[in-house]
């Protein structure tokens, strides 16, 4: 009987030790890394998240004071990147699936007041007084700053249209759980 | 438009259910033979264990809110119970089978999240739990009593054996060779004496000896195992590494002191080694998935089996050995990955010297 | 010849018998051809034709743009009816800029100056002509062939490996090509050899294609630098890296190119296209396509003008009811098509209309860690571990387990008894990885823009301040003057 108790104790200890080792070895590092998070942010300092800019926003995210979904320009990709960096899993399925949005000028309405051009944090809008303005897709972060300032309502955010270059395979949906 | 499906748009014929069915098929000869050997009580116990496992599985699936049919039909629960039953003493009382089957399913499998998620082999977990909780019942080995034998219990007697603890069971029980020799050794009796009245290799080979239910016929288990190998349900690494390691260790120790340490053949044939090597250690869920990892896993099991058998507190170490190595599986899988094409073992891209390439030019 | 064994691999039922028996036939000209402006890896070509214009067969439709690109030519003579967006032969069903050509029925070739003896030409000229002919890898990879050749001339290439593996089930177009046009293929091989300044050429053919092997062997006889080798039938033998390993024993270093181990791989159909281009000056405007699958009535190997709709092919061969799934390429690595109104492109080696019983059935269940996928992966990955990470969006973890080494060959998913869509997970994860890189590029760009803007605003503010200071100074000076006066 003694032998049984003894060997079981040893067995338990051995198992525990191995499991502990495995747990430690495979633990996801949850170190807050503000700089890393900030590097992921779009950096347009647009303030849509309710913070004065990207680095305060990054700090808030790392400290858990703001949700990972705070930044509209960053879109789903940013949320997932943040989740991976911070080791937090977020359900992005509830998020607007349209990914990053882009501003677009309705040429029939624009009066060329150059207000949007002055406001855009990334200088993504080109134009001249009394001319129809155009948003350069490549530079637009979809922050929406121009939308509010436009006196005629010529600007609107629209989903970035997927192209063959940006199309990606969706995650497979498993029926059986 | 629905989301497009990525390739391949082609699939081999394998299914989880098919694999489980093949394993059970491979177990049939040894099981039928064991049932024949141990008579009605064994059959009752066998059926009870299976039934208990299936009912418990259905219940836990229901509680977890999962699709019952899909998972019940995959046959994994049945296989677990089958393996557990084969490792029980054939004349154990009914509740051993019922508790064991339920334990294997609930604590061995479902609490981890169901099929594929468990860290430990559920059958062995249940066996160890039973062994610790009910040491007496779990070590009362019946001597073989084929249906045709004169002393064999009839149907009604058998019901009594299984369901009410039976009458004067002790007269029917024999000891296993591993247990017996160990006890005798502690009394200072060498193997030459202690083995002479109980051990004949041929009996063990064919399964005419006492012991757990399905662990007895090494030959039939070996055949079943070979069948699985041929059908590529299991790979050679674990069984070969495990058997070779045990044989090697036993051989060395036997050379050192033949009176204390049994010969390799006995170790290979006795106890649950064959069952363990081909059917239990090879459980896919709880063993490494890479070839190299499987070799290490098999060797580890072999070492532990031998060590526990020879120096441990229990005469048979299979269950413990497998469980310990199960715990090591995540580590093994992490460190012993296959070499990737175009990379060295350490994972860096391959480099060739001009000479190596030049030699190719011929 | 000593062959080597790559790890893993599978033997799926070949189903080549469905179409292997039918000789190559010419597909009649359809009513319209839809020619996408990108049929290769790299930058899209730029249209060089106007609507309404009449073109001859082989005339340039679109110019190559940039270093990694390929021109596109008219598959027949006719009128350009539109240059517009049209559905691409791609699972997404997204549009691509496409030239619509209405055949005039004459199928009249443009005139091409014929070279006298191509073997007298300087080798660089071969690559040049191949580039001008718009030839791309026709096994499905569609990498511009001239770029590969050009790269090969400055590297130390010891072996030209001609890929006649055709390991994908169903497909028989390369098989038929080698059987029926062995001479042309061999000529193409010799021309490529000339283009890379000679060396040896090994033509590797899977050993289940007896007739092709025989034909190619007979034709190659007498050329000391050519060797026809039967390689074992084992999927994915046709994958470049696996074929290199099988024939040379060398492995392409991870993340590297075949040229690094001194090998240049070309598909047999590409060799044939090179023959056409160099001997007759004809650009790549048609290809052989296997039309097969359970839903097709007459399974054939058709020589098809580029731009023919899949729908035209299916109607030509006849089909029973709506196919359950429509594929371009083989069932292992081919892509699913959104519908049949998409054109054949340079890389389309097959059109498969599969019926229900041919498709994998059974829904996915949890992984039982059986290790089958690990055993068969030709790369040596652990697909089950990779999948776990892809499922959890742990891209870094997936990278650690070799995501970027994965070929997306589908071998693992083929054997998985739990019917898990392993390869789909890897495609998804690779896409996410690309998206992440894209997003990062955009963020970097945004940051640059923001900084530039801030610098500009500062400059403007400074200029304003300077102007104000100047005005103030002027005013002060004026005051002083007035006071003096
Ligand atoms: S919403 Fe995003 S881009 Fe805008 S300030 Fe906040 S973190 Fe920066
Ligand atoms: S703010 Fe509106 S109206 Fe003014 S230039 Fe911009 S888009 Fe045109
Ligand atoms: S083949 Fe499928 S079930 Fe088996 S280990 Fe791989 S993913 Fe899991
Ligand atoms: S798809 Fe990737 S992981 Fe799967 S077998 Fe092919 S290379 Fe290996």
């Amino acid at each position: 009987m003694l032998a049984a108790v003894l060997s079981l104790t040893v067995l338990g200890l051995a198992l525990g030790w191995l499991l502990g080792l495995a747990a430690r070895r495979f633990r996801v590092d949850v170190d807050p890394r503000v700089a890393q998070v900030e590097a992921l942010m779009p950096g347009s300092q647009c303030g849509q998240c309710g913070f004065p800019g990207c680095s305060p926003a990054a700090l808030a995210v790392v400290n858990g004071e703001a949700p990972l979904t705070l930044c509209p320009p960053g879109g789903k990709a940013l949320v997932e990147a943040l989740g991976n960096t911070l080791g937090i899993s977020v359900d992005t399925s509830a998020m607007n699936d349209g990914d990053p949005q882009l501003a677009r000028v309705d040429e029939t309405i624009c009066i060329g007041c150059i207000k949007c051009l002055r406001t855009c944090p990334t200088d993504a809008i080109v134009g001249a007084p009394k001319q129809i303005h155009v948003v350069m897709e490549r530079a637009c972060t979809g922050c929406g700053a121009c939308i509010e300032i436009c006196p005629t309502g010529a600007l609107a955010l629209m989903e970035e249209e997927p192209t063959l270059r940006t199309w990606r395979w969706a995650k497979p949906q498993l029926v059986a759980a | 438009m629905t989301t497009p499906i990525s390739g391949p748009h082609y699939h081999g014929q394998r299914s989880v259910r098919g694999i489980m069915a093949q394993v059970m098929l491979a177990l049939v000869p040894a099981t039928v033979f064991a049932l024949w050997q141990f008579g009605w009580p064994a059959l009752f116990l066998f059926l009870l264990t299976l039934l208990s496992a299936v009912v418990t599985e259905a219940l836990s699936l229901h509680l977890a809110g999962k699709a019952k049919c899909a998972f019940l039909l995959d046959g994994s629960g049945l296989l677990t119970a089958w393996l557990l039953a084969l490792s029980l003493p054939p004349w154990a009382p009914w509740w051993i089978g019922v508790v064991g089957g339920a334990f294997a399913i609930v604590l061995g499998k479902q609490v981890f999240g169901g099929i594929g998620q468990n860290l430990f082999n559920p059958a062995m977990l249940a066996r160890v739990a039973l062994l610790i909780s009910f040491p007496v019942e779990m070590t009362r080995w019946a001597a073989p009593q084929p249906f045709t034998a004169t002393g064999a219990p009839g149907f009604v007697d058998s019901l009594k054996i299984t369901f009410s603890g039976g009458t004067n069971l002790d007269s029917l029980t024999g000891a296993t060779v591993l247990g017996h020799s160990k006890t005798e050794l502690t009394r200072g009796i060498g193997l030459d004496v202690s083995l002479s009245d109980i051990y004949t290799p041929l009996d063990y080979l064919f399964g005419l000896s006492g012991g757990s239910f399905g662990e007895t016929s090494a030959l039939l288990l070996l055949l079943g195992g070979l069948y699985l190998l041929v059908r590529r349900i299991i790979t050679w690494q674990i069984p070969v590494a495990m058997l070779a390691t045990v044989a090697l260790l036993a051989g060395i120790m036997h050379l050192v002191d033949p009176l204390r340490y049994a010969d390799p053949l006995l170790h290979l044939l006795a106890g649950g080694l064959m069952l363990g090597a081909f059917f239990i250690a090879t459980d896919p869920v709880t063993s490494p998935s890479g070839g190299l990892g499987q070799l290490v896993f098999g060797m580890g099991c072999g070492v532990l089996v031998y060590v526990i058998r020879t120096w441990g507190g229990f005469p048979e170490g299979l269950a413990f050995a497998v469980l310990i190595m199960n715990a090591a599986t995540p580590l093994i899988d992490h460190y012993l990955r296959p070499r990737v094409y175009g990379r060295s073992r350490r994972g860096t891209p391959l480099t060739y010297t001009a000479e190596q390439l030049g030699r190719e030019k011929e | 010849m000593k062959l080597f064994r790559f790890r893993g691999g599978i033997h799926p039922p070949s189903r080549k018998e469905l179409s292997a028996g039918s000789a190559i036939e010419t597909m009649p000209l359809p009513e319209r051809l839809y020619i996408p402006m990108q049929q290769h890896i790299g930058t899209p070509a730029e249209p060089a034709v106007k609507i309404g214009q009449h073109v001859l067969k082989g005339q340039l439709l679109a110019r190559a743009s940039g270093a990694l690109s390929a021109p596109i030519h008219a598959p027949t003579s006719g009128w350009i009816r539109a240059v517009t967006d049209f559905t691409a032969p791609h699972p997404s069903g997204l549009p691509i800029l496409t030239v619509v050509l209405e055949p005039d029925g004459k199928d009249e070739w443009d005139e091409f100056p014929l070279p006298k003896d191509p073997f007298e030409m300087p080798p660089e000229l071969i690559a040049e002509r191949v580039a001008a002919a718009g030839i791309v890898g026709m096994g499905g990879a569609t990498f511009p062939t001239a770029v590969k050749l050009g790269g090969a001339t400055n590297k130390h290439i010891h072996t030209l490996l001609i890929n006649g593996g055709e390991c994908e089930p169903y497909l028989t177009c390369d098989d038929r090509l080698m059987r029926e046009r062995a001479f042309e293929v061999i000529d193409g091989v010799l021309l490529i050899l000339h283009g890379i300044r000679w060396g040896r050429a090994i033509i590797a053919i899977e050993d289940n294609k007896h007739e092709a092997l025989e034909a190619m062997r007979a034709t190659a006889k007498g050329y000391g630098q050519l060797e026809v080798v039967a390689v074992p039938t084992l999927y994915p033998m046709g994958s470049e890296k696996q074929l290199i390993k099988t024939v040379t024993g060398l492995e392409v270093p991870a993340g590297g190119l075949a040229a690094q181990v001194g090998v240049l791989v070309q598909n047999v159909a590409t060799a044939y296209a090179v023959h056409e281009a160099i001997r007759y000056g004809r650009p790549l405007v048609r290809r052989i396509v296997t039309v097969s699958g359970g839903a097709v009535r007459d399974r054939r190997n058709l020589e098809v003008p580029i731009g023919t709709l899949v729908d035209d092919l299916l109607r030509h061969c006849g089909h029973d009811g709506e196919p359950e799934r429509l594929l371009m390429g083989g069932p292992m690595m081919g892509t699913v098509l959104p519908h049949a109104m998409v054109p054949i492109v340079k890389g389309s080696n097959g059109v498969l209309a599969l019926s229900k019983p041919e498709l994998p059935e059974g829904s996915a269940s949890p992984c039982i860690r059986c290790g089958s996928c690990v055993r068969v992966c030709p790369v040596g990955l652990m697909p089950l571990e990779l999948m776990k990470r892809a499922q959890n969006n742990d891209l870094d973890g997936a990278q650690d387990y070799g995501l970027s080494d994965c070929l997306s060959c589908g071998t693992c998913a083929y054997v998985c008894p739990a019917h898990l869509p392993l390869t789909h997970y890897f495609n998804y994860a690779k896409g996410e990885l690309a998206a992440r890189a894209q997003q990062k590029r955009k963020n970097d760009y945004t940051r640059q823009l923001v900084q530039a803007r801030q610098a500009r605003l500062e400059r403007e503010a400074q200029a304003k301040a300077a102007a104000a200071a100047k005005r103030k100074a002027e005013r002060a000076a004026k005051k002083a003057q007035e006071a003096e006066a």
Side-chain angles (χ1 to χ4, degrees):
Chain A
M1 198 59 219
L2 191 65
V5 171
L6 240 131
S7 53
L8 271 179
T9 319
V10 171
L11 176 70
L13 285 178
L15 290 189
W17 177 73
L18 275 174
L19 283 183
L21 204 66
R24 193 169 334 147
R25 181 63 191 74
F26 304 132
R27 186 190 52 194
V28 185
D29 238 349
V30 282
D31 270 352
R33 283 168 283 187
V34 185
Q36 242 180 333
V37 166
E38 202 192 330
L40 294 171
M41 299 277 194
S44 68
Q45 325 292 349
C46 67
Q48 281 180 89
C49 51
F51 293 93
C54 297
S55 51
L59 191 67
V61 167
V62 171
N63 291 341
E65 289 153 14
L68 299 194
T69 49
L70 86 169
C71 171
K76 221 159 99 173
L78 175 67
V79 181
E80 265 157 20
L82 289 177
N84 288 335
T85 313
L86 300 175
I88 309 170
S89 68
V90 213
D91 186 15
T92 48
S93 50
M95 272 184 78
N96 180 0
D97 221 47
D99 287 311
Q101 301 214 316
L102 294 178
R104 202 159 317 144
V105 177
D106 185 338
E107 297 121 51
T108 56
I109 308 182
C110 174
I111 53 167
C113 71
I114 70 164
K115 277 194 175 139
C116 55
L117 183 149
R118 289 233 198 98
T119 314
C120 179
T122 53
D123 280 346
I125 305 181
V126 284
K130 305 251 167 68
Q131 306 259 298
I132 294 168
H133 286 50
V134 177
V135 181
M136 295 188 297
E137 292 204 351
R138 206 162 91 84
C140 174
T141 62
C143 73
C146 53
I147 314 286
E148 275 139 51
I149 210 128
C150 176
T152 62
L155 273 156
L157 279 185
M158 279 177 216
E159 267 177 24
E160 196 177 341
E161 299 258 320
T163 63
L164 284 175
R165 258 174 210 282
T166 57
W167 184 86
R168 313 270 178 237
W169 283 103
K171 199 170 182 173
Q173 299 296 318
L174 293 188
V175 205
Chain B
M1 210 184 86
T2 48
T3 42
I5 311 154
S6 155
H9 309 275
Y10 215 37
H11 194 272
Q13 297 309 311
R14 285 274 174 92
S15 68
V16 173
R17 201 186 308 166
I19 290 182
M20 299 295 167
Q22 295 276 332
V23 179
M24 289 191 248
L25 190 67
L27 281 172
V28 164
T31 310
V32 168
F33 181 75
L35 290 175
W36 175 260
Q37 281 294 298
F38 295 108
W40 289 109
L43 182 63
F44 297 150
L45 185 70
F46 180 69
L47 292 179
L48 276 173
T49 314
L50 261 55
L51 189 70
S52 153
V54 172
V55 169
T56 336
E57 179 137 67
L59 221 67
S60 14
L61 285 175
H62 179 73
L63 287 179
K66 288 188 190 169
K68 274 194 270 316
C69 292
F71 285 97
L72 270 182
L73 288 179
D74 72 17
S76 61
L78 213 56
L79 181 59
T80 297
W82 192 322
L83 288 171
L84 171 66
L86 290 189
S87 69
L88 296 176
W91 288 17
W94 63 277
W95 44 267
I96 289 274
V98 171
V99 171
F103 186 95
I105 295 300
V106 178
L107 291 176
K109 183 169 147 193
Q110 294 295 348
V111 290
F112 289 98
I115 182 169
Q117 309 289 315
N118 47 308
L119 193 56
F120 298 104
N121 186 313
M124 289 303 101
L125 210 59
R127 184 183 180 179
V128 164
L130 290 173
L131 192 60
I132 295 164
S133 324
F134 315 108
V136 179
E137 285 80 358
M138 283 296 288
T139 50
R140 207 154 28 180
W141 310 107
Q145 305 267 334
F147 279 103
T148 49
T150 37
F155 185 77
V156 182
D157 281 341
S158 305
L159 281 178
K160 269 194 214 139
I161 293 176
T162 308
F163 288 99
S164 63
T167 47
N168 84 51
L169 243 182
D170 288 336
S171 68
L172 298 170
T173 55
T176 64
V177 60
L178 291 171
H180 180 70
S181 56
K182 188 163 247 173
T183 330
E184 296 294 274
L185 264 184
T186 52
R187 284 169 39 195
I189 299 172
L191 285 179
D192 51 340
V193 180
S194 67
L195 283 184
S196 60
D197 47 327
I198 173 162
Y199 170 67
T200 43
L202 273 188
D203 281 359
Y204 276 84
L205 184 61
F206 293 118
L208 304 172
S209 58
S212 301
F213 202 135
E215 295 180 349
T216 48
S217 175
L219 186 67
L220 290 176
L221 288 169
L222 184 65
L223 277 181
L226 289 180
Y227 172 75
L228 291 185
L229 274 177
V230 169
R231 299 303 306 264
R232 306 218 184 169
I233 305 285
I234 60 172
T235 49
W236 60 269
Q237 281 94 339
I238 292 180
V240 169
M242 193 165 163
L243 296 177
T245 308
V246 170
L248 191 74
L249 285 176
I252 294 172
M253 293 314 288
H254 186 64
L255 284 182
V256 171
D257 184 355
L259 283 190
R260 277 195 74 84
Y261 303 106
D263 62 280
L265 192 62
L266 180 137
H267 272 285
L268 287 185
L269 296 180
L273 192 61
M274 282 295 162
L275 182 73
F278 285 102
F279 293 92
I280 291 174
T282 53
D283 165 37
V285 177
T286 54
S287 64
S289 44
L292 195 61
Q294 289 173 345
L295 270 182
V296 170
F297 181 88
M299 272 157 48
C301 285
V303 170
L304 287 171
V305 164
Y306 187 78
V307 166
I308 298 174
R309 273 183 181 180
T310 313
W311 296 289
F314 289 91
E316 173 57 307
L318 183 85
F320 296 107
V322 168
L323 289 179
I324 293 176
M325 288 314 289
N326 285 166
T329 295
L331 282 177
I332 293 180
D333 256 350
H334 187 81
Y335 287 108
L336 297 180
R337 305 184 204 169
R339 186 183 69 81
V340 174
Y341 180 102
R343 291 182 187 275
S344 68
R345 273 233 150 267
R346 298 214 325 280
T348 50
L350 285 183
T351 49
Y352 289 102
T353 60
E355 200 183 314
Q356 276 169 312
L357 295 177
R359 209 179 295 143
E360 278 307 310
K361 194 165 184 174
E362 281 153 29
Chain C
M1 183 178 177
K2 181 175 164 18
L3 291 181
F4 299 81
R5 172 89 171 76
F6 67 83
R7 121 185 250 301
I10 46 172
H11 297 96
S14 84
R15 305 217 178 137
K16 290 184 192 281
E17 64 285 353
L18 294 178
S19 56
S22 51
I24 301 171
E25 292 168 54
T26 309
M27 168 82 187
L29 279 176
E31 271 167 43
R32 299 236 161 169
L33 293 171
Y34 298 82
I35 306 128
M37 291 296 99
Q38 180 166 23
Q39 307 181 23
H40 50 262
I41 286 177
T43 336
E46 280 165 19
V49 284
K50 283 196 282 298
I51 295 171
Q53 185 183 338
H54 185 266
V55 292
L56 290 174
K57 186 171 181 177
Q59 196 176 322
L60 188 77
L61 287 186
R63 254 176 238 110
S65 116
L68 191 61
S69 187
I72 291 162
H73 303 82
T76 185
S77 56
W79 299 274
I80 306 296
R81 285 298 175 224
V83 179
T84 177
D85 274 350
F86 193 79
T87 315
H90 185 268
S92 67
L94 286 170
I96 187 167
L97 190 63
T98 302
V99 169
V100 184
L101 178 74
E102 185 187 336
D104 58 12
K106 295 187 203 138
D107 206 24
E108 196 180 332
W109 275 104
D110 200 358
E111 274 181 24
F112 304 106
L114 288 189
K116 275 201 212 85
D117 183 359
F119 293 106
E120 304 273 281
M121 291 191 326
E124 305 81 54
L125 212 56
I126 301 266
E128 231 166 78
R129 293 264 163 99
V130 166
I135 299 177
V136 302
M138 291 175 73
T142 68
F143 191 86
T145 303
V147 179
K148 253 183 169 181
L149 291 184
T153 36
N154 11 339
K155 290 237 176 58
H156 183 74
I157 299 291
H158 54 71
T159 303
L160 167 65
L161 189 49
I162 299 297
N163 188 347
E166 198 166 58
C167 58
E168 278 266 7
Y170 291 93
L171 301 188
T172 53
C173 52
D174 289 353
D175 181 17
R176 289 308 314 191
L177 179 74
M178 290 186 285
R179 284 200 219 179
E180 298 176 33
R181 305 184 189 170
F183 172 78
E184 289 83 347
V185 173
I186 295 282
D187 187 55
V189 175
L190 292 170
L191 289 169
I192 299 175
L193 266 187
H194 177 54
I196 59 169
R197 298 188 168 81
W198 299 92
R200 64 167 178 177
I202 296 174
I203 300 158
I205 303 170
E206 273 193 352
D207 57 12
N208 59 352
K209 304 185 214 347
H210 309 288
E211 290 92 340
L213 268 166
E214 228 166 82
M216 295 290 282
R217 280 210 171 113
T219 317
K221 209 176 272 166
Y223 297 102
Q225 55 287 92
L226 299 189
E227 189 172 359
V228 179
V229 185
V231 291
T233 303
L234 179 68
Y235 182 87
M237 184 58 79
S239 152
E240 180 169 300
K241 289 179 171 179
Q242 274 57 39
L243 192 65
I244 291 177
K245 167 88 183 195
T246 307
V247 173
T248 67
L250 299 169
E251 289 185 9
V252 181
L257 297 170
Q260 265 168 274
V261 288
V263 182
L264 172 70
V265 183
Q266 292 294 349
N267 176 270
V268 280
T270 314
Y272 178 74
V274 169
H275 159 82
E276 291 261 293
I278 307 291
R279 288 286 178 186
Y280 306 106
R282 290 177 189 160
L284 174 56
V285 293
R286 52 184 183 172
R287 67 155 300 137
I288 303 168
V289 181
T290 300
V291 184
S292 187
V296 177
R297 219 173 296 140
D298 279 329
R299 292 130 194 163
R300 302 184 188 180
N301 301 292
L302 294 172
E303 188 154 33
V304 181
I306 302 291
T308 307
L309 292 183
V310 166
D311 189 55
D312 293 325
L313 292 184
L314 290 181
R315 269 190 297 162
H316 180 67
C317 297
H319 58 98
D320 303 314
E322 274 306 295
E324 184 70 20
R325 202 176 288 175
L326 211 53
L327 302 181
M328 186 165 277
M332 294 299 292
M333 291 186 77
T335 53
V336 68
L337 294 177
H339 46 71
M341 302 304 280
V342 296
I344 293 292
V345 289
K346 293 174 182 175
S348 323
N349 43 9
V351 166
L352 301 184
L354 299 181
S355 58
K356 186 113 200 207
E358 297 173 279
L359 286 167
E361 53 177 323
S363 53
S365 57
C367 169
I368 56 164
R369 293 181 35 85
C370 67
S372 308
C373 50
V374 182
R375 234 162 338 183
V376 298
C377 175
V379 174
L381 303 177
M382 297 181 89
L384 75 160
E385 300 288 344
L386 253 177
M387 176 187 62
K388 225 189 312 179
R389 282 153 185 85
Q391 258 170 344
N392 298 332
N393 290 323
D394 174 9
L395 293 184
D396 296 323
Q399 280 285 59
D400 178 41
Y401 270 86
L403 180 63
S404 45
D405 291 310
C406 167
L407 308 166
S408 290
C409 65
T411 309
C412 50
Y414 176 84
V415 297
C416 176
H419 292 263
L420 286 160
L422 291 147
T423 313
H424 194 158
Y425 271 114
F426 307 152
N427 287 339
Y428 156 75
K430 287 174 188 172
E432 286 298 288
L433 216 55
R436 193 157 90 170
Q438 211 170 30
Q439 176 83 37
K440 190 165 178 312
R441 268 200 304 280
K442 174 136 193 178
N443 285 354
D444 290 346
Y445 182 56
T446 303
R447 209 163 299 120
Q448 266 175 37
L449 288 173
V450 170
Q451 277 160 9
R453 177 182 150 89
Q454 247 136 30
R456 194 196 80 214
L457 290 180
E458 248 163 57
R459 259 200 324 277
E460 280 172 10
Q462 263 171 18
K464 228 184 243 167
K470 200 169 152 208
R471 270 201 305 280
K472 205 170 164 191
E474 272 168 15
R475 228 178 299 141
K478 210 168 171 191
K479 249 192 202 140
Q481 257 179 11
E482 273 168 16
E484 237 170 60

